[in-house]
Amino acid sequence: MHLIELNQLVKIYKNDEVETPVLHGLTFSIDKGEFVAIMGPSGSGKSTLLHVIGFLDEYTSGSYRFEDQEANTYTGDDTAHIRNKKLGFVFQSFNLLPHATVFENVQLPLLYSDIPESEWEKRTRESIEKVGLSHRTDFDVTRLSGGEKQRVAIARALVCSPDVIFADEPTGNLDSKSGGSVMQTLQDLNEKHGHTIILITHETYTAEHAKRIIRIKDGLVESDTEVSQRRHTDGGILMK
């Protein structure tokens, strides 16, 4: 059973009489424990795809199965539960609470969960530790660097123990050194802790941390390739 399975997935935005097709029939699957980068230029449909498979938007036709159930058969309560318990989101703009501590930001999703309050502190501190920020636990997030802020956002995405972490252009606002640190954090979460990571990016150096790259162009899959973690001497990546 695949964790995520798409078959001829179509998404068309409708505004009055105007239809704008964005996804034209995507077919691929992702298994639990994979680290997949979805690459494509601006306007290729990759962010729309993330919204659909992340239960943030509906699809027009075709099939999207999550945990072997058709996504459009889940009730509203089901999808709210999936987003809260099974999916974690990391966005380019961090979306942290200003003038709150690292601990307070990471704990936030637990306030809206069914996880007992007695577990909140333990889960929060474990998530912060996973991203290497235990020494910043009580810092106001305004005192952190951009890379540290993104790692706080990753810890927040982790705190409810989701099956999947969606990272949408997580290095887009960072310099290359901070971006590399954030990507190493995601890679460690996949390799050491078994989290499924789905990365949306247009940057090759970011995608090369994944084990598989799906390239999207004009709303279609252009290529789907496994990546060797061995690097060329010029810094490129080897495709299997």
Side-chain angles (χ1 to χ4, degrees):
M1 180 185 75
H2 300 298
L3 180 64
I4 287 172
E5 186 173 6
L6 277 60
N7 187 19
Q8 295 297 313
L9 187 83
V10 171
K11 173 64 179 179
I12 300 172
Y13 287 106
K14 298 181 180 180
N15 184 9
D16 296 326
E17 301 299 317
V18 179
E19 293 190 352
T20 305
V22 180
L23 305 178
H24 298 274
L26 296 174
T27 298
F28 63 84
S29 60
I30 295 174
D31 293 329
K32 188 173 182 180
E34 284 200 85
F35 187 168
V36 179
I38 297 175
M39 286 193 71
S42 179
S44 60
K46 59 187 185 299
S47 291
T48 296
L49 174 61
L50 178 142
H51 283 100
V52 170
I53 62 178
F55 288 87
L56 300 173
D57 200 356
E58 298 177 350
Y59 49 102
T60 305
S61 64
S63 173
Y64 166 36
R65 299 184 72 82
F66 180 80
E67 294 185 331
D68 207 31
Q69 181 174 333
E70 191 66 36
N72 60 14
T73 66
Y74 286 105
T75 67
D77 288 343
D78 289 338
T79 56
H81 175 79
I82 289 170
R83 285 194 299 266
N84 183 259
K85 288 284 291 181
K86 296 179 179 289
L87 309 179
F89 296 91
V90 180
F91 296 103
Q92 179 177 338
S93 55
F94 316 140
N95 294 339
L96 300 178
L97 292 175
H99 306 299
T101 65
V102 169
F103 185 94
E104 290 165 341
N105 269 279
V106 174
Q107 182 180 248
L108 186 63
L110 294 171
L111 277 61
Y112 305 98
S113 74
D114 55 6
I115 295 169
E117 188 173 352
S118 59
E119 295 184 23
W120 289 2
E121 181 172 355
K122 179 174 181 289
R123 280 176 173 263
T124 301
R125 294 191 183 280
E126 285 177 348
S127 293
I128 294 170
E129 183 179 358
K130 277 186 178 181
V131 301
L133 286 178
S134 293
H135 62 300
R136 297 282 194 258
T137 299
D138 297 318
F139 274 47
D140 189 303
V141 294
T142 57
R143 298 173 58 192
L144 303 182
S145 68
E148 288 174 329
K149 288 177 181 177
Q150 193 59 289
R151 284 154 64 194
V152 173
I154 293 170
R156 182 183 57 194
L158 283 172
V159 76
C160 289
S161 300
D163 294 326
V164 186
I165 297 173
F166 292 104
D168 188 6
E169 301 282 5
T171 62
N173 286 334
L174 305 177
D175 59 56
S176 58
K177 183 178 179 181
S178 297
S181 175
V182 166
M183 291 313 304
Q184 187 61 54
T185 298
L186 290 172
Q187 193 170 336
D188 288 345
L189 290 172
N190 174 253
E191 294 177 353
K192 297 179 181 179
H193 302 284
H195 291 282
T196 305
I197 310 289
I198 299 177
L199 168 71
I200 305 294
T201 186
H202 66 278
E203 300 167 329
T204 300
Y205 87 90
T206 301
E208 69 182 12
H209 289 81
K211 297 175 181 176
R212 176 181 167 203
I213 296 177
I214 299 173
R215 295 181 186 273
I216 305 292
K217 185 177 181 180
D218 298 328
L220 290 166
V221 175
E222 185 178 40
S223 64
D224 186 346
T225 317
E226 291 185 18
V227 179
S228 170
Q229 294 306 300
R230 293 177 293 119
R231 302 289 194 267
H232 284 301
T233 55
D234 64 1
I237 54 177
L238 292 174
M239 299 296 187
K240 291 181 179 177

